[in-house]
PDB file of all heavy atoms in Angstrom:
ATOM      1  N   ASP A1190       1.294   8.479  -8.517  1.00  0.00           N
ATOM      2  CA  ASP A1190      -0.173   8.529  -8.548  1.00  0.00           C
ATOM      3  C   ASP A1190      -0.621   9.978  -8.666  1.00  0.00           C
ATOM      4  O   ASP A1190       0.033  10.879  -8.133  1.00  0.00           O
ATOM      5  CB  ASP A1190      -0.791   7.897  -7.305  1.00  0.00           C
ATOM      6  CG  ASP A1190      -2.165   7.291  -7.600  1.00  0.00           C
ATOM      7  OD1 ASP A1190      -3.120   8.069  -7.830  1.00  0.00           O
ATOM      8  OD2 ASP A1190      -2.295   6.056  -7.641  1.00  0.00           O
ATOM      9  N   ARG A1191      -1.722  10.185  -9.386  1.00  0.00           N
ATOM     10  CA  ARG A1191      -2.233  11.553  -9.530  1.00  0.00           C
ATOM     11  C   ARG A1191      -3.272  11.899  -8.475  1.00  0.00           C
ATOM     12  O   ARG A1191      -3.670  13.057  -8.351  1.00  0.00           O
ATOM     13  CB  ARG A1191      -2.812  11.761 -10.923  1.00  0.00           C
ATOM     14  CG  ARG A1191      -3.993  10.886 -11.308  1.00  0.00           C
ATOM     15  CD  ARG A1191      -4.623  11.460 -12.571  1.00  0.00           C
ATOM     16  NE  ARG A1191      -5.165  10.430 -13.436  1.00  0.00           N
ATOM     17  CZ  ARG A1191      -5.791  10.695 -14.585  1.00  0.00           C
ATOM     18  NH1 ARG A1191      -5.939  11.939 -14.977  1.00  0.00           N
ATOM     19  NH2 ARG A1191      -6.258   9.721 -15.343  1.00  0.00           N
ATOM     20  N   ASP A1192      -3.717  10.903  -7.716  1.00  0.00           N
ATOM     21  CA  ASP A1192      -4.719  11.120  -6.680  1.00  0.00           C
ATOM     22  C   ASP A1192      -4.025  11.591  -5.404  1.00  0.00           C
ATOM     23  O   ASP A1192      -3.227  10.847  -4.827  1.00  0.00           O
ATOM     24  CB  ASP A1192      -5.473   9.813  -6.427  1.00  0.00           C
ATOM     25  CG  ASP A1192      -6.660   9.986  -5.483  1.00  0.00           C
ATOM     26  OD1 ASP A1192      -6.621  10.896  -4.624  1.00  0.00           O
ATOM     27  OD2 ASP A1192      -7.630   9.207  -5.607  1.00  0.00           O
ATOM     28  N   PRO A1193      -4.289  12.805  -4.941  1.00  0.00           N
ATOM     29  CA  PRO A1193      -3.612  13.300  -3.731  1.00  0.00           C
ATOM     30  C   PRO A1193      -3.894  12.459  -2.498  1.00  0.00           C
ATOM     31  O   PRO A1193      -3.047  12.356  -1.605  1.00  0.00           O
ATOM     32  CB  PRO A1193      -4.145  14.733  -3.575  1.00  0.00           C
ATOM     33  CG  PRO A1193      -5.400  14.782  -4.389  1.00  0.00           C
ATOM     34  CD  PRO A1193      -5.210  13.820  -5.513  1.00  0.00           C
ATOM     35  N   ASP A1194      -5.078  11.834  -2.433  1.00  0.00           N
ATOM     36  CA  ASP A1194      -5.375  10.949  -1.300  1.00  0.00           C
ATOM     37  C   ASP A1194      -4.441   9.745  -1.319  1.00  0.00           C
ATOM     38  O   ASP A1194      -3.935   9.310  -0.270  1.00  0.00           O
ATOM     39  CB  ASP A1194      -6.829  10.467  -1.363  1.00  0.00           C
ATOM     40  CG  ASP A1194      -7.834  11.575  -1.074  1.00  0.00           C
ATOM     41  OD1 ASP A1194      -7.409  12.640  -0.582  1.00  0.00           O
ATOM     42  OD2 ASP A1194      -9.039  11.388  -1.343  1.00  0.00           O
ATOM     43  N   ALA A1195      -4.213   9.193  -2.509  1.00  0.00           N
ATOM     44  CA  ALA A1195      -3.308   8.056  -2.638  1.00  0.00           C
ATOM     45  C   ALA A1195      -1.888   8.444  -2.252  1.00  0.00           C
ATOM     46  O   ALA A1195      -1.191   7.683  -1.562  1.00  0.00           O
ATOM     47  CB  ALA A1195      -3.338   7.525  -4.069  1.00  0.00           C
ATOM     48  N   VAL A1196      -1.451   9.607  -2.686  1.00  0.00           N
ATOM     49  CA  VAL A1196      -0.087  10.060  -2.376  1.00  0.00           C
ATOM     50  C   VAL A1196       0.113  10.205  -0.871  1.00  0.00           C
ATOM     51  O   VAL A1196       1.160   9.818  -0.326  1.00  0.00           O
ATOM     52  CB  VAL A1196       0.219  11.381  -3.105  1.00  0.00           C
ATOM     53  CG1 VAL A1196       1.540  11.972  -2.633  1.00  0.00           C
ATOM     54  CG2 VAL A1196       0.255  11.154  -4.621  1.00  0.00           C
ATOM     55  N   SER A1197      -0.898  10.720  -0.181  1.00  0.00           N
ATOM     56  CA  SER A1197      -0.814  10.850   1.284  1.00  0.00           C
ATOM     57  C   SER A1197      -0.650   9.494   1.944  1.00  0.00           C
ATOM     58  O   SER A1197       0.151   9.319   2.872  1.00  0.00           O
ATOM     59  CB  SER A1197      -2.069  11.542   1.829  1.00  0.00           C
ATOM     60  OG  SER A1197      -2.170  12.859   1.351  1.00  0.00           O
ATOM     61  N   VAL A1198      -1.408   8.506   1.457  1.00  0.00           N
ATOM     62  CA  VAL A1198      -1.324   7.157   2.009  1.00  0.00           C
ATOM     63  C   VAL A1198       0.034   6.531   1.681  1.00  0.00           C
ATOM     64  O   VAL A1198       0.653   5.868   2.524  1.00  0.00           O
ATOM     65  CB  VAL A1198      -2.475   6.275   1.461  1.00  0.00           C
ATOM     66  CG1 VAL A1198      -2.268   4.814   1.839  1.00  0.00           C
ATOM     67  CG2 VAL A1198      -3.808   6.771   1.992  1.00  0.00           C
ATOM     68  N   LEU A1199       0.513   6.721   0.451  1.00  0.00           N
ATOM     69  CA  LEU A1199       1.808   6.185   0.051  1.00  0.00           C
ATOM     70  C   LEU A1199       2.930   6.710   0.950  1.00  0.00           C
ATOM     71  O   LEU A1199       3.842   5.958   1.325  1.00  0.00           O
ATOM     72  CB  LEU A1199       2.104   6.537  -1.403  1.00  0.00           C
ATOM     73  CG  LEU A1199       1.303   5.805  -2.469  1.00  0.00           C
ATOM     74  CD1 LEU A1199       1.466   6.480  -3.828  1.00  0.00           C
ATOM     75  CD2 LEU A1199       1.739   4.339  -2.552  1.00  0.00           C
ATOM     76  N   LYS A1200       2.861   7.974   1.294  1.00  0.00           N
ATOM     77  CA  LYS A1200       3.900   8.560   2.149  1.00  0.00           C
ATOM     78  C   LYS A1200       3.899   7.922   3.525  1.00  0.00           C
ATOM     79  O   LYS A1200       4.952   7.704   4.130  1.00  0.00           O
ATOM     80  CB  LYS A1200       3.701  10.073   2.247  1.00  0.00           C
ATOM     81  CG  LYS A1200       4.044  10.814   0.956  1.00  0.00           C
ATOM     82  CD  LYS A1200       3.791  12.306   1.078  1.00  0.00           C
ATOM     83  CE  LYS A1200       4.180  13.015  -0.218  1.00  0.00           C
ATOM     84  NZ  LYS A1200       3.881  14.477  -0.151  1.00  0.00           N
ATOM     85  N   LYS A1201       2.699   7.588   4.028  1.00  0.00           N
ATOM     86  CA  LYS A1201       2.604   6.948   5.343  1.00  0.00           C
ATOM     87  C   LYS A1201       3.088   5.500   5.289  1.00  0.00           C
ATOM     88  O   LYS A1201       3.767   5.025   6.199  1.00  0.00           O
ATOM     89  CB  LYS A1201       1.156   6.995   5.840  1.00  0.00           C
ATOM     90  CG  LYS A1201       0.652   8.392   6.174  1.00  0.00           C
ATOM     91  CD  LYS A1201      -0.821   8.353   6.576  1.00  0.00           C
ATOM     92  CE  LYS A1201      -1.342   9.761   6.839  1.00  0.00           C
ATOM     93  NZ  LYS A1201      -2.801   9.766   7.134  1.00  0.00           N
ATOM     94  N   ARG A1202       2.722   4.803   4.221  1.00  0.00           N
ATOM     95  CA  ARG A1202       3.018   3.375   4.141  1.00  0.00           C
ATOM     96  C   ARG A1202       4.420   3.065   3.625  1.00  0.00           C
ATOM     97  O   ARG A1202       5.051   2.106   4.042  1.00  0.00           O
ATOM     98  CB  ARG A1202       1.989   2.688   3.246  1.00  0.00           C
ATOM     99  CG  ARG A1202       0.585   2.689   3.832  1.00  0.00           C
ATOM    100  CD  ARG A1202      -0.403   1.992   2.906  1.00  0.00           C
ATOM    101  NE  ARG A1202      -1.744   1.963   3.506  1.00  0.00           N
ATOM    102  CZ  ARG A1202      -2.836   1.506   2.888  1.00  0.00           C
ATOM    103  NH1 ARG A1202      -2.736   1.011   1.652  1.00  0.00           N
ATOM    104  NH2 ARG A1202      -4.009   1.519   3.498  1.00  0.00           N
ATOM    105  N   LEU A1203       4.899   3.868   2.690  1.00  0.00           N
ATOM    106  CA  LEU A1203       6.170   3.553   2.029  1.00  0.00           C
ATOM    107  C   LEU A1203       7.226   4.634   2.179  1.00  0.00           C
ATOM    108  O   LEU A1203       8.354   4.463   1.708  1.00  0.00           O
ATOM    109  CB  LEU A1203       5.927   3.293   0.533  1.00  0.00           C
ATOM    110  CG  LEU A1203       4.908   2.203   0.171  1.00  0.00           C
ATOM    111  CD1 LEU A1203       4.762   2.109  -1.343  1.00  0.00           C
ATOM    112  CD2 LEU A1203       5.328   0.856   0.746  1.00  0.00           C
ATOM    113  N   GLY A1204       6.870   5.736   2.825  1.00  0.00           N
ATOM    114  CA  GLY A1204       7.798   6.859   2.927  1.00  0.00           C
ATOM    115  C   GLY A1204       9.093   6.540   3.645  1.00  0.00           C
ATOM    116  O   GLY A1204      10.109   7.200   3.430  1.00  0.00           O
ATOM    117  N   GLY A1205       9.092   5.513   4.483  1.00  0.00           N
ATOM    118  CA  GLY A1205      10.292   5.167   5.236  1.00  0.00           C
ATOM    119  C   GLY A1205      11.228   4.230   4.509  1.00  0.00           C
ATOM    120  O   GLY A1205      12.312   3.914   5.016  1.00  0.00           O
ATOM    121  N   LYS A1206      10.860   3.778   3.323  1.00  0.00           N
ATOM    122  CA  LYS A1206      11.699   2.852   2.561  1.00  0.00           C
ATOM    123  C   LYS A1206      12.710   3.638   1.717  1.00  0.00           C
ATOM    124  O   LYS A1206      12.324   4.474   0.904  1.00  0.00           O
ATOM    125  CB  LYS A1206      10.838   1.952   1.665  1.00  0.00           C
ATOM    126  CG  LYS A1206       9.942   0.994   2.442  1.00  0.00           C
ATOM    127  CD  LYS A1206       9.172   0.097   1.498  1.00  0.00           C
ATOM    128  CE  LYS A1206       8.290  -0.882   2.263  1.00  0.00           C
ATOM    129  NZ  LYS A1206       9.082  -1.866   3.039  1.00  0.00           N
ATOM    130  N   ASN A1207      13.974   3.337   1.885  1.00  0.00           N
ATOM    131  CA  ASN A1207      15.029   4.080   1.200  1.00  0.00           C
ATOM    132  C   ASN A1207      15.003   3.907  -0.315  1.00  0.00           C
ATOM    133  O   ASN A1207      15.489   4.775  -1.053  1.00  0.00           O
ATOM    134  CB  ASN A1207      16.404   3.663   1.730  1.00  0.00           C
ATOM    135  CG  ASN A1207      16.617   4.069   3.180  1.00  0.00           C
ATOM    136  OD1 ASN A1207      16.053   5.082   3.626  1.00  0.00           O
ATOM    137  ND2 ASN A1207      17.402   3.307   3.910  1.00  0.00           N
ATOM    138  N   ASN A1208      14.467   2.785  -0.784  1.00  0.00           N
ATOM    139  CA  ASN A1208      14.484   2.530  -2.225  1.00  0.00           C
ATOM    140  C   ASN A1208      13.152   2.862  -2.911  1.00  0.00           C
ATOM    141  O   ASN A1208      12.920   2.438  -4.039  1.00  0.00           O
ATOM    142  CB  ASN A1208      14.872   1.073  -2.507  1.00  0.00           C
ATOM    143  CG  ASN A1208      13.840   0.080  -1.991  1.00  0.00           C
ATOM    144  OD1 ASN A1208      13.090   0.382  -1.054  1.00  0.00           O
ATOM    145  ND2 ASN A1208      13.813  -1.102  -2.591  1.00  0.00           N
ATOM    146  N   VAL A1209      12.287   3.621  -2.216  1.00  0.00           N
ATOM    147  CA  VAL A1209      11.011   4.038  -2.803  1.00  0.00           C
ATOM    148  C   VAL A1209      10.952   5.560  -2.892  1.00  0.00           C
ATOM    149  O   VAL A1209      11.198   6.256  -1.907  1.00  0.00           O
ATOM    150  CB  VAL A1209       9.809   3.527  -1.981  1.00  0.00           C
ATOM    151  CG1 VAL A1209       8.493   4.066  -2.564  1.00  0.00           C
ATOM    152  CG2 VAL A1209       9.776   2.009  -1.951  1.00  0.00           C
ATOM    153  N   THR A1210      10.637   6.065  -4.088  1.00  0.00           N
ATOM    154  CA  THR A1210      10.410   7.498  -4.296  1.00  0.00           C
ATOM    155  C   THR A1210       8.950   7.690  -4.678  1.00  0.00           C
ATOM    156  O   THR A1210       8.465   7.060  -5.619  1.00  0.00           O
ATOM    157  CB  THR A1210      11.315   8.054  -5.409  1.00  0.00           C
ATOM    158  OG1 THR A1210      12.684   7.896  -5.027  1.00  0.00           O
ATOM    159  CG2 THR A1210      11.028   9.536  -5.650  1.00  0.00           C
ATOM    160  N   ILE A1211       8.245   8.547  -3.958  1.00  0.00           N
ATOM    161  CA  ILE A1211       6.815   8.781  -4.192  1.00  0.00           C
ATOM    162  C   ILE A1211       6.648  10.070  -4.971  1.00  0.00           C
ATOM    163  O   ILE A1211       7.212  11.118  -4.615  1.00  0.00           O
ATOM    164  CB  ILE A1211       6.062   8.856  -2.849  1.00  0.00           C
ATOM    165  CG1 ILE A1211       6.197   7.517  -2.110  1.00  0.00           C
ATOM    166  CG2 ILE A1211       4.586   9.195  -3.059  1.00  0.00           C
ATOM    167  CD1 ILE A1211       5.886   7.586  -0.633  1.00  0.00           C
ATOM    168  N   VAL A1212       5.865  10.003  -6.057  1.00  0.00           N
ATOM    169  CA  VAL A1212       5.699  11.152  -6.951  1.00  0.00           C
ATOM    170  C   VAL A1212       4.211  11.424  -7.185  1.00  0.00           C
ATOM    171  O   VAL A1212       3.466  10.518  -7.573  1.00  0.00           O
ATOM    172  CB  VAL A1212       6.390  10.909  -8.311  1.00  0.00           C
ATOM    173  CG1 VAL A1212       6.188  12.112  -9.232  1.00  0.00           C
ATOM    174  CG2 VAL A1212       7.876  10.628  -8.114  1.00  0.00           C
ATOM    175  N   HIS A1213       3.807  12.666  -6.950  1.00  0.00           N
ATOM    176  CA  HIS A1213       2.431  13.077  -7.247  1.00  0.00           C
ATOM    177  C   HIS A1213       2.398  13.630  -8.669  1.00  0.00           C
ATOM    178  O   HIS A1213       2.782  14.767  -8.930  1.00  0.00           O
ATOM    179  CB  HIS A1213       1.976  14.152  -6.251  1.00  0.00           C
ATOM    180  CG  HIS A1213       0.545  14.571  -6.435  1.00  0.00           C
ATOM    181  ND1 HIS A1213       0.040  15.760  -5.947  1.00  0.00           N
ATOM    182  CD2 HIS A1213      -0.484  13.962  -7.070  1.00  0.00           C
ATOM    183  CE1 HIS A1213      -1.244  15.859  -6.261  1.00  0.00           C
ATOM    184  NE2 HIS A1213      -1.582  14.783  -6.952  1.00  0.00           N
ATOM    185  N   ASN A1214       1.945  12.786  -9.597  1.00  0.00           N
ATOM    186  CA  ASN A1214       1.945  13.173 -11.005  1.00  0.00           C
ATOM    187  C   ASN A1214       1.109  12.155 -11.776  1.00  0.00           C
ATOM    188  O   ASN A1214       0.639  11.169 -11.215  1.00  0.00           O
ATOM    189  CB  ASN A1214       3.379  13.200 -11.547  1.00  0.00           C
ATOM    190  CG  ASN A1214       3.573  14.173 -12.690  1.00  0.00           C
ATOM    191  OD1 ASN A1214       2.684  14.343 -13.535  1.00  0.00           O
ATOM    192  ND2 ASN A1214       4.727  14.815 -12.744  1.00  0.00           N
ATOM    193  N   THR A1215       0.927  12.386 -13.063  1.00  0.00           N
ATOM    194  CA  THR A1215       0.231  11.422 -13.916  1.00  0.00           C
ATOM    195  C   THR A1215       1.259  10.540 -14.608  1.00  0.00           C
ATOM    196  O   THR A1215       2.342  10.994 -14.985  1.00  0.00           O
ATOM    197  CB  THR A1215      -0.631  12.133 -14.971  1.00  0.00           C
ATOM    198  OG1 THR A1215       0.190  13.016 -15.730  1.00  0.00           O
ATOM    199  CG2 THR A1215      -1.746  12.935 -14.310  1.00  0.00           C
ATOM    200  N   PHE A1216       0.899   9.270 -14.805  1.00  0.00           N
ATOM    201  CA  PHE A1216       1.880   8.309 -15.318  1.00  0.00           C
ATOM    202  C   PHE A1216       2.318   8.585 -16.750  1.00  0.00           C
ATOM    203  O   PHE A1216       3.365   8.125 -17.175  1.00  0.00           O
ATOM    204  CB  PHE A1216       1.379   6.870 -15.173  1.00  0.00           C
ATOM    205  CG  PHE A1216       0.021   6.573 -15.764  1.00  0.00           C
ATOM    206  CD1 PHE A1216      -0.190   6.549 -17.127  1.00  0.00           C
ATOM    207  CD2 PHE A1216      -1.051   6.281 -14.921  1.00  0.00           C
ATOM    208  CE1 PHE A1216      -1.436   6.246 -17.661  1.00  0.00           C
ATOM    209  CE2 PHE A1216      -2.299   5.973 -15.439  1.00  0.00           C
ATOM    210  CZ  PHE A1216      -2.496   5.956 -16.820  1.00  0.00           C
ATOM    211  N   SER A1217       1.543   9.361 -17.509  1.00  0.00           N
ATOM    212  CA  SER A1217       1.970   9.689 -18.869  1.00  0.00           C
ATOM    213  C   SER A1217       3.174  10.627 -18.875  1.00  0.00           C
ATOM    214  O   SER A1217       3.873  10.744 -19.881  1.00  0.00           O
ATOM    215  CB  SER A1217       0.817  10.319 -19.661  1.00  0.00           C
ATOM    216  OG  SER A1217       0.421  11.543 -19.073  1.00  0.00           O
ATOM    217  N   ASN A1218       3.423  11.286 -17.744  1.00  0.00           N
ATOM    218  CA  ASN A1218       4.565  12.208 -17.637  1.00  0.00           C
ATOM    219  C   ASN A1218       5.838  11.495 -17.199  1.00  0.00           C
ATOM    220  O   ASN A1218       6.722  12.106 -16.594  1.00  0.00           O
ATOM    221  CB  ASN A1218       4.241  13.328 -16.640  1.00  0.00           C
ATOM    222  CG  ASN A1218       3.176  14.272 -17.149  1.00  0.00           C
ATOM    223  OD1 ASN A1218       3.021  14.467 -18.356  1.00  0.00           O
ATOM    224  ND2 ASN A1218       2.409  14.858 -16.239  1.00  0.00           N
ATOM    225  N   ILE A1219       5.962  10.212 -17.516  1.00  0.00           N
ATOM    226  CA  ILE A1219       7.080   9.405 -17.060  1.00  0.00           C
ATOM    227  C   ILE A1219       8.436   9.997 -17.473  1.00  0.00           C
ATOM    228  O   ILE A1219       9.400   9.966 -16.700  1.00  0.00           O
ATOM    229  CB  ILE A1219       6.946   7.945 -17.570  1.00  0.00           C
ATOM    230  CG1 ILE A1219       8.117   7.090 -17.124  1.00  0.00           C
ATOM    231  CG2 ILE A1219       6.760   7.881 -19.075  1.00  0.00           C
ATOM    232  CD1 ILE A1219       8.246   6.971 -15.620  1.00  0.00           C
ATOM    233  N   LYS A1220       8.511  10.593 -18.649  1.00  0.00           N
ATOM    234  CA  LYS A1220       9.800  11.139 -19.101  1.00  0.00           C
ATOM    235  C   LYS A1220      10.255  12.298 -18.213  1.00  0.00           C
ATOM    236  O   LYS A1220      11.422  12.356 -17.800  1.00  0.00           O
ATOM    237  CB  LYS A1220       9.702  11.591 -20.561  1.00  0.00           C
ATOM    238  CG  LYS A1220       9.673  10.451 -21.559  1.00  0.00           C
ATOM    239  CD  LYS A1220       9.743  10.963 -22.985  1.00  0.00           C
ATOM    240  CE  LYS A1220       9.833   9.823 -23.977  1.00  0.00           C
ATOM    241  NZ  LYS A1220       9.924  10.297 -25.375  1.00  0.00           N
ATOM    242  N   SER A1221       9.347  13.220 -17.915  1.00  0.00           N
ATOM    243  CA  SER A1221       9.724  14.360 -17.078  1.00  0.00           C
ATOM    244  C   SER A1221       9.970  13.925 -15.636  1.00  0.00           C
ATOM    245  O   SER A1221      10.840  14.481 -14.949  1.00  0.00           O
ATOM    246  CB  SER A1221       8.649  15.453 -17.133  1.00  0.00           C
ATOM    247  OG  SER A1221       7.401  14.981 -16.671  1.00  0.00           O
ATOM    248  N   ILE A1222       9.227  12.929 -15.170  1.00  0.00           N
ATOM    249  CA  ILE A1222       9.439  12.409 -13.818  1.00  0.00           C
ATOM    250  C   ILE A1222      10.849  11.845 -13.685  1.00  0.00           C
ATOM    251  O   ILE A1222      11.576  12.158 -12.740  1.00  0.00           O
ATOM    252  CB  ILE A1222       8.392  11.316 -13.490  1.00  0.00           C
ATOM    253  CG1 ILE A1222       6.998  11.927 -13.364  1.00  0.00           C
ATOM    254  CG2 ILE A1222       8.767  10.575 -12.200  1.00  0.00           C
ATOM    255  CD1 ILE A1222       5.873  10.905 -13.289  1.00  0.00           C
ATOM    256  N   LEU A1223      11.240  11.033 -14.649  1.00  0.00           N
ATOM    257  CA  LEU A1223      12.578  10.431 -14.607  1.00  0.00           C
ATOM    258  C   LEU A1223      13.669  11.476 -14.771  1.00  0.00           C
ATOM    259  O   LEU A1223      14.735  11.397 -14.142  1.00  0.00           O
ATOM    260  CB  LEU A1223      12.710   9.362 -15.686  1.00  0.00           C
ATOM    261  CG  LEU A1223      11.815   8.128 -15.521  1.00  0.00           C
ATOM    262  CD1 LEU A1223      12.001   7.182 -16.698  1.00  0.00           C
ATOM    263  CD2 LEU A1223      12.099   7.413 -14.208  1.00  0.00           C
ATOM    264  N   ASN A1224      13.402  12.462 -15.614  1.00  0.00           N
ATOM    265  CA  ASN A1224      14.380  13.528 -15.826  1.00  0.00           C
ATOM    266  C   ASN A1224      14.649  14.289 -14.529  1.00  0.00           C
ATOM    267  O   ASN A1224      15.805  14.595 -14.198  1.00  0.00           O
ATOM    268  CB  ASN A1224      13.869  14.486 -16.906  1.00  0.00           C
ATOM    269  CG  ASN A1224      14.897  15.539 -17.268  1.00  0.00           C
ATOM    270  OD1 ASN A1224      16.013  15.233 -17.643  1.00  0.00           O
ATOM    271  ND2 ASN A1224      14.501  16.805 -17.141  1.00  0.00           N
ATOM    272  N   GLU A1225      13.583  14.566 -13.770  1.00  0.00           N
ATOM    273  CA  GLU A1225      13.746  15.276 -12.495  1.00  0.00           C
ATOM    274  C   GLU A1225      14.503  14.433 -11.473  1.00  0.00           C
ATOM    275  O   GLU A1225      15.173  14.975 -10.584  1.00  0.00           O
ATOM    276  CB  GLU A1225      12.366  15.665 -11.945  1.00  0.00           C
ATOM    277  CG  GLU A1225      11.687  16.772 -12.746  1.00  0.00           C
ATOM    278  CD  GLU A1225      10.312  17.112 -12.207  1.00  0.00           C
ATOM    279  OE1 GLU A1225       9.954  16.624 -11.119  1.00  0.00           O
ATOM    280  OE2 GLU A1225       9.586  17.860 -12.886  1.00  0.00           O
ATOM    281  N   LEU A1226      14.395  13.117 -11.619  1.00  0.00           N
ATOM    282  CA  LEU A1226      15.081  12.220 -10.691  1.00  0.00           C
ATOM    283  C   LEU A1226      16.475  11.811 -11.196  1.00  0.00           C
ATOM    284  O   LEU A1226      17.158  11.015 -10.550  1.00  0.00           O
ATOM    285  CB  LEU A1226      14.239  10.955 -10.466  1.00  0.00           C
ATOM    286  CG  LEU A1226      12.878  11.161  -9.789  1.00  0.00           C
ATOM    287  CD1 LEU A1226      12.086   9.851  -9.778  1.00  0.00           C
ATOM    288  CD2 LEU A1226      13.055  11.682  -8.362  1.00  0.00           C
ATOM    289  N   ASN A1227      16.871  12.372 -12.348  1.00  0.00           N
ATOM    290  CA  ASN A1227      18.172  12.062 -12.968  1.00  0.00           C
ATOM    291  C   ASN A1227      18.329  10.569 -13.248  1.00  0.00           C
ATOM    292  O   ASN A1227      19.400   9.979 -13.052  1.00  0.00           O
ATOM    293  CB  ASN A1227      19.321  12.554 -12.067  1.00  0.00           C
ATOM    294  CG  ASN A1227      19.374  14.064 -11.972  1.00  0.00           C
ATOM    295  OD1 ASN A1227      19.242  14.761 -12.977  1.00  0.00           O
ATOM    296  ND2 ASN A1227      19.540  14.573 -10.757  1.00  0.00           N
ATOM    297  N   ILE A1228      17.246   9.953 -13.709  1.00  0.00           N
ATOM    298  CA  ILE A1228      17.255   8.542 -14.079  1.00  0.00           C
ATOM    299  C   ILE A1228      17.140   8.452 -15.599  1.00  0.00           C
ATOM    300  O   ILE A1228      16.210   9.007 -16.189  1.00  0.00           O
ATOM    301  CB  ILE A1228      16.102   7.785 -13.400  1.00  0.00           C
ATOM    302  CG1 ILE A1228      16.310   7.770 -11.876  1.00  0.00           C
ATOM    303  CG2 ILE A1228      15.987   6.357 -13.932  1.00  0.00           C
ATOM    304  CD1 ILE A1228      15.149   7.192 -11.104  1.00  0.00           C
ATOM    305  N   THR A1229      18.064   7.765 -16.238  1.00  0.00           N
ATOM    306  CA  THR A1229      18.107   7.720 -17.704  1.00  0.00           C
ATOM    307  C   THR A1229      17.354   6.545 -18.308  1.00  0.00           C
ATOM    308  O   THR A1229      17.041   6.545 -19.506  1.00  0.00           O
ATOM    309  CB  THR A1229      19.564   7.671 -18.194  1.00  0.00           C
ATOM    310  OG1 THR A1229      20.216   6.541 -17.596  1.00  0.00           O
ATOM    311  CG2 THR A1229      20.297   8.957 -17.797  1.00  0.00           C
ATOM    312  N   GLY A1230      17.073   5.525 -17.511  1.00  0.00           N
ATOM    313  CA  GLY A1230      16.354   4.369 -18.042  1.00  0.00           C
ATOM    314  C   GLY A1230      15.757   3.537 -16.927  1.00  0.00           C
ATOM    315  O   GLY A1230      16.248   3.550 -15.794  1.00  0.00           O
ATOM    316  N   ILE A1231      14.675   2.805 -17.250  1.00  0.00           N
ATOM    317  CA  ILE A1231      14.009   1.959 -16.256  1.00  0.00           C
ATOM    318  C   ILE A1231      13.937   0.518 -16.772  1.00  0.00           C
ATOM    319  O   ILE A1231      14.058   0.262 -17.970  1.00  0.00           O
ATOM    320  CB  ILE A1231      12.597   2.474 -15.930  1.00  0.00           C
ATOM    321  CG1 ILE A1231      11.714   2.532 -17.196  1.00  0.00           C
ATOM    322  CG2 ILE A1231      12.677   3.836 -15.249  1.00  0.00           C
ATOM    323  CD1 ILE A1231      10.272   2.893 -16.938  1.00  0.00           C
ATOM    324  N   ASP A1232      13.709  -0.404 -15.839  1.00  0.00           N
ATOM    325  CA  ASP A1232      13.647  -1.824 -16.182  1.00  0.00           C
ATOM    326  C   ASP A1232      12.236  -2.392 -16.130  1.00  0.00           C
ATOM    327  O   ASP A1232      12.006  -3.525 -16.558  1.00  0.00           O
ATOM    328  CB  ASP A1232      14.538  -2.625 -15.228  1.00  0.00           C
ATOM    329  CG  ASP A1232      15.958  -2.094 -15.205  1.00  0.00           C
ATOM    330  OD1 ASP A1232      16.605  -2.125 -16.270  1.00  0.00           O
ATOM    331  OD2 ASP A1232      16.410  -1.622 -14.143  1.00  0.00           O
ATOM    332  N   GLY A1233      11.311  -1.612 -15.606  1.00  0.00           N
ATOM    333  CA  GLY A1233       9.930  -2.083 -15.533  1.00  0.00           C
ATOM    334  C   GLY A1233       8.960  -0.927 -15.372  1.00  0.00           C
ATOM    335  O   GLY A1233       9.290   0.091 -14.754  1.00  0.00           O
TER     336      GLY A1233
END
């Protein structure tokens, strides 16, 4: 999410889940986001 308020809430609500990564960015930057996370492909 690009909204910093949303990111703060996401960290509180989902930050403890091992399979969730929270990213403060715009969704059009999906390629660079995945590159930073060393993920080569997504399923959804």
